[in-house]
Amino acid sequence: MKRKHTNTDVSQLVDEILQEAVSRRASDIHFEPTSRKLQVKFRLDGQLKVVDEFPKTISDNVIARLKVLGGLLTYRNDIPQEGRIIGTADSSLESSVTDKRLAVFPTIHGQRAVIRVFYEDAGLMSLDQLGFSDFILSNLKKIASRNQGVLLLTGPAGSGKSTTLAAILRDILARFTGRSIVALEDPVERDIEGVTQVQVADTGDMTFPVALRSLLRQDPQVLMIGEIRDAETARIAIEAGLTGHLLMSTMHSGSPAGALLRLLEMQIEPYQVTSSISGVLNQRLVRRLCENCKKQIGDTSAFEALGCDSCMDTGFSGRVLVSEMIMMDGALRKAILAKADIEELDTILKSRGHMNMAHDGRRLVTAGVTTQEEVNTVCGH
């Protein structure tokens, strides 16, 4: 991506960067100013990679062009701004893109801009396509068939939680026609035919608690909440799961057991947790080995990443799920009612042969899908 840079070709330059990012399936595009240059980075399969550098002299013009595309105020350089970019010069690359969100932030070296790109992947529409183990896939479908209860998804940002939730909703729509399904999201990431989707925000009148309370009077059977962020939302969600609603949501936690304890920390009564929670799914995304350059390690079933032009010398192309899941059972209920700590809950899970994410990752290593080093890095082992 070496180009001749002048102030007059900035519009074309920005379009080319956006097109290159989409063609590479970059999830984020970073425009980062330094004291002497403007760096452009793509987040490819979860990793940031520097793809180009521009002279400092055109940095302001590049950011200004992004602001125009995102409908932001070009004359305000001192405040954070957020917008949405519609289309690029080459519409043929846009068929898989559902949204491009722009965020601009002032720094000591100028304005920093990040574009998050959302794609619609036909191969990730249904639960069967996501790559879950048979155990987890079976339990997710069991929960989706119930009339009430709460399913929690945990994992960091960018771990595929929204994709999993959308796939569960599609599974319900396919198997149980006529169900009333409502989703509260901030923001709405993908359009799901057959689901009433509502955009809410932390600020303003339409917050998660306000919207959720009102929706419970709209006769919904299935509710999806983008994220449980506070005790008030958690309390209403748990009550919904106890009163004839199937509710799904995400929560920030490092493990399934940690998510249960976080509910207790939010002052949810232990008996409400044990009575409402059906299961907790914890997931991450590991990078998938590039099929063009991966190399088998000796006579083993493991492979190593080499790097080639096809994968921009990273050795990886695309990502795949590793996950773990717990279902509420008698032993866990007793421990939660007794307000057990995280160590006690982990001991109970180990005693019954719980398969954590590191174990789940081994099946991918054995199948030559990823490397043990990648699993260790993502799972923290």
Side-chain angles (χ1 to χ4, degrees):
M1 288 175 59
K2 296 294 181 186
R3 302 180 185 86
K4 205 172 173 185
H5 310 304
T6 68
N7 283 344
T8 58
D9 70 355
V10 165
S11 295
Q12 181 182 347
L13 182 66
V14 169
D15 284 347
E16 288 176 0
I17 293 170
L18 297 183
Q19 291 167 27
E20 177 73 11
V22 171
S23 69
R24 294 286 184 178
R25 301 282 293 187
S27 62
D28 299 87
I29 312 164
H30 289 231
F31 296 81
E32 298 185 3
T34 67
S35 59
R36 285 183 282 184
K37 59 192 173 186
L38 176 70
Q39 281 192 328
V40 176
K41 302 177 183 179
F42 291 171
R43 187 172 294 282
L44 302 166
D45 304 322
Q47 304 290 317
L48 271 179
K49 182 179 178 63
V50 177
V51 295
D52 215 337
E53 294 178 345
F54 304 131
K56 181 73 172 178
T57 53
I58 70 166
S59 178
D60 288 344
N61 289 341
V62 168
I63 300 300
R65 175 59 182 165
L66 291 174
K67 285 182 174 181
V68 170
L69 291 174
L72 304 184
L73 302 175
T74 56
Y75 59 87
R76 291 302 301 269
N77 302 328
D78 57 335
I79 58 172
Q81 296 189 67
E82 296 181 7
R84 181 169 282 172
I85 295 176
I86 307 297
T88 60
D90 186 354
S91 60
S92 64
L93 291 173
E94 294 290 316
S95 59
S96 64
V97 176
T98 60
D99 201 2
K100 292 195 294 291
R101 294 186 199 135
L102 169 66
V104 179
F105 200 91
T107 76
I108 61 170
H109 295 302
Q111 296 173 91
R112 180 179 188 269
V114 176
I115 301 170
R116 170 153 285 190
V117 187
F118 294 86
Y119 302 90
E120 189 68 77
D121 193 330
L124 298 176
M125 298 290 281
S126 73
L127 274 176
D128 302 272
Q129 297 173 313
L130 298 187
F132 287 115
S133 66
D134 292 340
F135 168 78
I136 292 179
L137 180 61
S138 173
N139 281 318
L140 285 176
K141 289 194 172 186
K142 284 179 184 175
I143 291 174
S145 66
R146 295 176 180 173
N147 293 322
Q148 71 176 49
V150 176
L151 170 66
L152 292 179
L153 274 66
T154 69
S159 60
K161 299 187 298 297
S162 296
T163 299
T164 298
L165 284 172
I168 295 173
L169 294 181
R170 291 191 189 97
D171 181 73
I172 294 172
L173 286 167
R175 293 196 292 144
F176 308 100
T177 57
R179 279 200 182 181
S180 172
I181 305 177
V182 182
L184 301 179
E185 303 170 75
D186 176 24
V188 174
E189 293 189 3
R190 51 178 58 79
D191 185 25
I192 306 174
E193 187 69 30
V195 176
T196 299
Q197 295 173 272
V198 181
Q199 185 153 312
V200 297
D202 278 339
T203 58
D205 296 329
M206 181 69 97
T207 61
F208 274 112
V210 170
L212 187 51
R213 273 201 202 92
S214 180
L215 277 176
L216 291 177
R217 296 188 286 272
Q218 293 278 322
D219 190 33
Q221 292 169 289
V222 180
L223 282 163
M224 191 273 274
I225 307 174
E227 183 183 349
I228 293 177
R229 299 175 179 173
D230 53 62
E232 186 179 7
T233 304
R235 195 173 304 111
I236 302 170
I238 293 298
E239 289 174 359
L242 289 169
T243 55
H245 303 88
L246 176 62
L247 186 139
M248 293 168 283
S249 187
T250 69
M251 175 179 282
H252 283 296
S253 174
S255 68
L260 297 175
L261 293 184
R262 190 169 173 219
L263 289 173
L264 298 179
E265 291 170 358
M266 289 179 170
Q267 305 303 311
I268 306 299
E269 292 295 332
Y271 77 89
Q272 291 182 311
V273 174
T274 58
S275 300
S276 63
I277 301 296
S278 299
V280 184
L281 173 68
N282 187 27
Q283 66 179 57
R284 303 286 189 278
L285 292 172
V286 296
R287 292 182 294 171
R288 185 190 294 270
L289 281 164
C290 175
E291 293 295 332
N292 293 324
C293 64
K294 71 178 184 180
K295 180 182 177 183
Q296 190 168 2
I297 302 174
D299 296 327
T300 70
S301 59
F303 287 76
E304 62 179 328
L306 295 181
C308 63
D309 290 340
S310 177
C311 60
M312 294 187 76
D313 294 319
T314 63
F316 297 91
S317 179
R319 291 190 288 176
V320 62
L321 273 175
V322 289
S323 54
E324 61 180 321
M325 185 174 186
I326 61 173
M327 300 289 286
M328 193 64 69
D329 62 9
L332 273 179
R333 285 191 177 93
K334 288 180 182 178
I336 293 169
L337 288 171
K339 296 187 177 181
D341 57 23
I342 191 72
E343 287 79 13
E344 292 176 78
L345 292 180
D346 284 340
T347 299
I348 292 172
L349 293 174
K350 287 178 183 177
S351 69
R352 69 182 195 187
H354 172 66
M355 300 291 286
N356 61 28
M357 284 191 298
H359 289 105
D360 190 46
R362 287 175 195 165
R363 69 183 173 91
L364 300 177
V365 175
T366 303
V369 175
T370 190
T371 66
Q372 187 61 56
E373 292 76 16
E374 178 69 7
V375 172
N376 292 345
T377 298
V378 171
C379 297
H381 295 278

